[in-house]
Amino acid sequence: MFSSSGNTKKLSLGDEINYITASLHHELNMIIMSRLPLGLKNPKAFHEGLTSFSVLYSSFEAALDSHIRNPSTPSRTRAILEHVYIPAVHRASTFEADLKKYSPSSEKDELTKGTPARAYVLNHIRRATNETPHVLLAYCHCLYMALFAGGQHIKAAIARSAVRKLDLAQHQTVPEEAKKSAPGIALFTFDGRSTKEEQELRQKLRDGIRQAEELLTPKERAEVLAESCEVFKLTRRLVDELDGICGTAPTVLVATKQYTESESTVPSVESQASGRSWIKRLDRKRVETMVKGFVCVSFMVGYLVYLNLSSPSAATEGLEGNGN
């Protein structure tokens, strides 16, 4: 929250969720993106990943639907949840569609049935949303917004991977049909909507969360924020388990990183040669010196900013500049 002229202005619920989960979000994103190429090369791995995430989405969507349809749900609770009850963004059916397309390539790649992490996630969501239904706001914000944002990058990677499996020698451009029909892409597609329509749907969800938060008590708001952190921890639990199921050992992650780099646009011969010569000139000692210098400069700048902001005159000027 921010203070201005004695008045307290709170962050919106969505912004506060983003703020308190920033480190968890960043770490999880790096982990997922490092493993994605493995899934694109291995149908079983991708199927296992979809299965684990389907538990996450299907569980909270089932709870949301149950509270909306249950006549015994308190009117205020239903009013809160109705603001984020947007069937067009529900993902349970799209997971089913993708799972049917992404099947193991051979009988030896037998799929995993139930797992401890999946069972834990299912039980946690059932318990948390039954005791405090309003925490479903945390799931709607964290998981749906992830699909609208980072999910689109995954969607593009899946499409590129599917296209590369075709014989593109006869094509001057990438076939649009290949992009739209790539297995595993339904999850990130919202009823065939255009990019503009998807943005409108995203904005509708944002507006719904803003309207819902106005009905929350301070205690309920704090519970939603706490559960937002749990959403990322639950997701991390699923991903960590997938490493065991799919054998994503550190050595495999090295190969995954190399695959990720090969998926990117190949630079020109001249740029590759220039890059190699530049890297050769930078020995380890020089890199360490550069890093230390950057850290020192960053520390000095941060300290000067701190001194400036902590002075009474700076604080006064800041308030006057806000026009409050």
Side-chain angles (χ1 to χ4, degrees):
M1 63 181 60
F2 302 98
S3 179
S4 179
S5 296
N7 296 324
T8 300
K9 180 180 179 181
K10 289 185 177 180
L11 289 171
S12 68
L13 179 62
D15 287 340
E16 192 166 4
I17 289 175
N18 292 340
Y19 177 77
I20 66 172
T21 62
S23 60
L24 293 171
H25 188 178
H26 176 72
E27 183 179 8
L28 180 63
N29 183 63
M30 295 296 290
I31 291 173
I32 291 177
M33 294 309 293
S34 70
R35 286 149 176 78
L36 176 63
L38 176 65
L40 297 181
K41 294 178 68 177
N42 184 338
K44 178 182 184 296
F46 199 92
H47 192 287
E48 293 289 357
L50 282 178
T51 300
S52 289
F53 279 89
S54 71
V55 171
L56 189 62
Y57 281 84
S58 299
S59 298
F60 95 80
E61 287 181 352
L64 177 60
D65 189 71
S66 176
H67 285 294
I68 289 291
R69 298 177 184 278
N70 191 340
S72 63
T73 299
S75 58
R76 192 174 70 85
T77 299
R78 180 179 286 105
I80 291 172
L81 299 181
E82 283 178 342
H83 285 301
V84 293
Y85 188 72
I86 308 173
V89 301
H90 292 183
R91 299 291 89 191
S93 61
T94 62
F95 270 108
E96 293 179 4
D98 283 336
L99 285 169
K100 289 179 181 178
K101 290 184 178 181
Y102 253 97
S103 58
S105 55
S106 65
E107 293 183 359
K108 68 178 182 179
D109 292 327
E110 184 178 354
L111 297 174
T112 305
K113 302 298 182 181
T115 68
R118 293 170 189 170
Y120 179 91
V121 168
L122 176 61
N123 292 331
H124 175 90
I125 293 176
R126 284 177 175 173
R127 183 179 65 258
T129 59
N130 182 57
E131 296 174 354
T132 51
H134 47 274
V135 301
L136 282 162
L137 294 178
Y139 290 87
C140 289
H141 177 85
C142 296
L143 297 179
Y144 288 146
M145 287 303 180
L147 295 180
F148 283 117
Q152 299 310 303
H153 296 291
I154 298 177
K155 177 182 177 180
I158 294 173
R160 287 197 303 271
S161 177
V163 167
R164 281 184 171 84
K165 295 177 182 178
L166 300 175
D167 181 9
L168 298 183
Q170 302 176 358
H171 300 286
Q172 296 298 321
T173 58
V174 176
E176 288 299 320
E177 295 77 11
K179 292 181 180 180
K180 296 178 181 178
S181 62
I185 212 169
L187 173 60
F188 309 104
T189 304
F190 296 88
D191 296 341
R193 285 175 165 78
S194 65
T195 302
K196 180 180 178 181
E197 290 173 328
E198 285 186 359
Q199 290 301 317
E200 292 174 349
L201 192 60
R202 182 181 185 178
Q203 187 59 49
K204 183 178 180 180
L205 178 60
R206 281 175 172 168
D207 293 341
I209 292 173
R210 289 194 184 99
Q211 293 168 339
E213 73 172 292
E214 295 178 359
L215 302 176
L216 297 175
T217 65
K219 180 177 182 294
E220 290 171 339
R221 182 187 178 94
E223 290 170 339
V224 171
L225 293 173
E227 191 65 20
S228 297
C229 294
E230 288 301 317
V231 174
F232 285 96
K233 293 176 182 177
L234 293 174
T235 309
R236 177 63 185 272
R237 181 184 288 262
L238 290 172
V239 175
D240 286 346
E241 183 180 66
L242 286 171
D243 279 342
I245 295 174
C246 303
T248 320
T251 52
V252 177
L253 292 181
V254 171
T256 301
K257 182 177 182 296
Q258 294 172 346
Y259 180 82
T260 304
E261 294 170 348
S262 69
E263 285 288 288
S264 60
T265 303
V266 179
S268 64
V269 175
E270 293 78 10
S271 64
Q272 291 185 58
S274 175
R276 284 193 294 268
S277 62
W278 182 79
I279 292 173
K280 288 180 180 178
R281 290 197 300 269
L282 286 177
D283 57 14
R284 180 176 297 181
K285 187 173 182 179
R286 182 176 297 182
V287 171
E288 291 176 351
T289 302
M290 291 172 63
V291 172
K292 290 178 181 178
F294 176 77
V295 171
C296 290
V297 171
S298 300
F299 177 80
M300 291 178 64
V301 172
Y303 184 66
L304 291 174
V305 171
Y306 168 78
L307 290 177
N308 183 50
L309 292 179
S310 62
S311 64
S313 58
T316 303
E317 293 171 1
L319 293 178
E320 293 175 350
N322 288 331
N324 293 322

